[in-house]
Amino acid sequence: ELNLAGNYLHRLPEELTSLPHLRAIDLSRNRFRRFPEPLTAVTALETINLEENEIAGEKDLFLPPPLEKLAAMASLRSLNLRENPVGPEVRLLVRPLVPFDLLLSPEEPVPEA
């Protein structure tokens, strides 16, 4: 396990891929605007916690990496994106395509005009 929570990180070094036995990583309370692509190369990862970051929408979350890379992570069981400004388009696109638990904050109701 690797706990990097609360460190104001916005990117991860490529060297992270040299941790082949890493099963859980906590990146909560950082400054990621995009999904950290080096994580897709860590094949043993079971849990990724990205709670309370700045990952916003479809472009920020999945380009890079493409959604296919996340779905291909055979060991991944849980991706926590709670408390990120994830838009409704991501919710619609992601849920049917990923074989792991995707944790998102409840959608805020749209205020009436």
Side-chain angles (χ1 to χ4, degrees), residues 10-48:
H10 58 89
R11 65 180 178 83
L12 289 177
E14 293 295 325
E15 289 80 11
L16 187 75
T17 61
S18 66
L19 302 173
H21 303 292
L22 183 64
R23 293 187 351 196
I25 189 163
D26 186 349
L27 296 169
S28 61
R29 300 181 323 276
N30 278 290
R31 298 290 179 253
F32 289 99
R33 291 178 167 262
R34 299 173 188 257
F35 183 90
E37 188 166 4
L39 294 180
T40 62
V42 184
T43 58
L45 267 177
E46 297 174 2
T47 304
I48 300 172

Side-chain angles (χ1 to χ4, degrees), residues 63-85:
L63 297 173
L67 180 57
E68 294 81 29
K69 283 188 180 181
L70 278 171
M73 293 178 73
S75 298
L76 191 60
R77 300 290 172 253
S78 175
L79 171 58
N80 184 350
L81 291 174
R82 290 184 181 127
E83 302 301 323
N84 280 277

